[in-house]
Amino acid sequence: MSSEKVPNPIAASGGGGGGGVAPNTKTSPPYGVEFAKGINGLDKVVLHDPRGSLAEVYLYGGHVTSWKNDQGEELLFVSNKAIFKPPKAIRGGIPICFPQFSNLGSLDAHGFARNRFWSIDPDPSPFPTNTSNKVFVDLILKPTEEDIKTWPHSYEFRLRVALGPGGDLMLTSRIRNTNSDGKPFTFTFAYHTYFSVSDISEVRVEGLETLDYLDNMQNRKRCTEQGDAITFESEVDKIYLSTPTKIAILDHEKKRTFVIRKDGLPDAVVWNPWDKKAKAMADFGDDEYKHMLCVEAAAIERPITLKPGEEWRGRQELSAVPSSYCSGQLDPRKVLQGS
């Protein structure tokens, strides 16, 4: 595997098999971790699993922009019109919404974490979960002077992006209140994941049946989901509440099921802009809505409050598995009831 060395801050630390790189040294990155230049010269980290799966993370936004299986198939959607140029957020992949989801507050929509340059974390604190068999990179975000003006709090946001031996993609966020004035802060959060699908009309979401949701198309009116599964025939923008730790997205045409496992993130946003909204977005193709679906692990209805010194953790694990067929019908319960 070739590795391209680039200037700091990226040549600081990465991980693989529990390894790391000392900051400000010329040590090569760990096996499976590649530092490279991306679109418009933006720094990125490429994670390679020995079996062939891959993930790319841009330091701009701490933003995962690619997740490929061992067949080289792209599993995330990124718009062909995405603008990889600050301060515009990248359209697609996995944007991180912090410290505000959508317009639920005084900040710009979805907060500022997706519009900031993150650094490689030179000294990540230990993780309780075992990542010894995973290739990973640790990123960190701290507030800028400009951020303090609009959101006057001190914090450390640590993000670990890990690629498992089976090609699973794991994102673990740890947010700590480092205020020295004794003040708590409150935030909402989401992994705004864009999944790549063959045809949105052939997709269904399992695991959210009968749950309450807030309908963003009706001023967040509280409703209850009806029917056996969620299918798509028009624009959808809903915040499902008190959701299970596992959600499945079934793509009939590709015979693929995405499984989202999440922890610390009780809500789940389901979004597809459909045709009219798609045409109104400059960084989104008119017909691209047919090939994407956002299902977002989130903490929205009950905002998180941290006192100084307290830390919150929110994790999602994504896997893509072949869909099982029985009499021509998908059997998602095998996925939802499985490990």
Side-chain angles (χ1 to χ4, degrees):
M1 184 199 77
S2 62
S3 295
E4 176 186 353
K5 293 299 291 180
V6 296
N8 282 330
I10 199 166
S13 173
V21 180
N24 303 317
T25 71
K26 294 185 178 181
T27 307
S28 296
Y31 178 79
V33 180
E34 176 186 1
F35 301 144
K37 291 291 185 181
I39 297 171
N40 291 331
L42 293 173
D43 289 326
K44 68 179 180 180
V45 181
V46 186
L47 304 178
H48 298 268
D49 177 75
R51 298 185 189 181
S53 56
L54 174 151
E56 289 187 356
V57 192
Y58 274 71
L59 290 198
Y60 178 60
H63 198 132
V64 176
T65 56
S66 180
W67 171 39
K68 293 181 179 178
N69 62 17
D70 56 9
Q71 304 298 312
E73 296 172 312
E74 180 58 66
L75 304 173
L76 297 178
F77 166 87
V78 174
S79 173
N80 288 326
K81 292 189 173 183
I83 300 167
F84 285 75
K85 190 173 182 180
K88 181 70 175 175
I90 299 167
R91 175 69 69 183
I94 309 179
I96 290 176
C97 303
F98 170 84
Q100 174 186 300
F101 176 77
S102 186
N103 58 357
L104 296 172
S106 60
L107 302 175
D108 290 341
H110 291 326
F112 47 70
R114 63 186 188 143
N115 308 94
R116 296 293 181 268
F117 283 95
W118 295 54
S119 301
I120 302 292
D121 190 350
D123 188 27
S125 52
F127 270 73
T129 53
N130 178 20
T131 52
S132 62
N133 62 341
K134 301 177 180 67
V135 180
F136 63 88
V137 65
D138 288 303
L139 305 182
I140 188 168
L141 179 69
K142 297 181 180 181
T144 65
E145 290 184 7
E146 286 300 309
D147 295 338
I148 294 290
K149 292 177 183 177
T150 56
W151 201 67
H153 302 291
S154 179
Y155 65 89
E156 290 180 349
F157 186 151
R158 286 182 159 86
L159 172 68
R160 173 168 289 187
V161 181
L163 195 60
D168 293 355
L169 180 66
M170 285 144 283
L171 283 78
T172 305
S173 291
R174 297 184 297 170
I175 298 169
R176 179 177 293 274
N177 182 338
T178 57
N179 278 336
S180 58
D181 57 8
K183 293 182 179 178
F185 63 66
T186 299
F187 64 91
T188 49
F189 179 94
Y191 292 115
H192 198 313
T193 308
Y194 288 72
F195 292 93
S196 175
V197 299
S198 55
D199 180 347
I200 188 62
S201 65
E202 295 292 321
V203 169
R204 54 193 275 181
V205 176
E206 296 275 352
L208 303 176
E209 305 82 16
T210 73
L211 296 182
D212 285 357
Y213 64 88
L214 306 178
D215 192 339
N216 288 320
M217 296 176 63
Q218 299 185 64
N219 295 314
R220 298 196 176 90
K221 177 183 176 182
R222 193 179 186 106
C223 308
T224 301
E225 185 60 51
Q226 308 295 324
D228 292 335
I230 300 168
T231 56
F232 301 90
E233 299 173 347
S234 60
E235 181 183 352
V236 174
D237 190 356
K238 299 175 179 179
I239 304 170
Y240 289 86
L241 310 173
S242 301
T243 60
T245 57
K246 195 184 301 183
I247 301 168
I249 304 168
L250 295 92
D251 188 332
H252 292 237
E253 193 169 311
K254 287 189 176 176
K255 299 181 181 179
R256 174 190 294 149
T257 296
F258 290 110
V259 182
I260 304 165
R261 295 175 176 87
K262 56 191 182 66
D263 183 51
L265 298 161
D267 304 322
V269 182
V270 177
W271 179 65
N272 183 289
W274 222 252
D275 53 350
K276 288 184 179 179
K277 282 266 179 74
K279 291 176 181 177
M281 292 187 285
D283 60 347
F284 194 93
D286 289 356
D287 293 323
E288 286 186 327
Y289 73 93
K290 298 176 182 177
H291 306 297
M292 55 73 63
L293 176 64
C294 288
V295 179
E296 312 165 31
I300 301 170
E301 185 191 26
R302 295 183 179 88
I304 308 297
T305 298
L306 294 178
K307 297 175 183 176
E310 288 185 335
E311 182 179 273
W312 170 86
R313 183 182 295 115
R315 184 180 72 92
Q316 79 166 4
E317 179 177 347
L318 307 178
S319 55
V321 298
S323 298
S324 57
Y325 274 74
C326 180
S327 301
Q329 297 296 313
L330 285 163
D331 186 5
R333 282 159 185 77
K334 288 185 180 179
V335 172
L336 290 172
Q337 293 171 0
S339 60

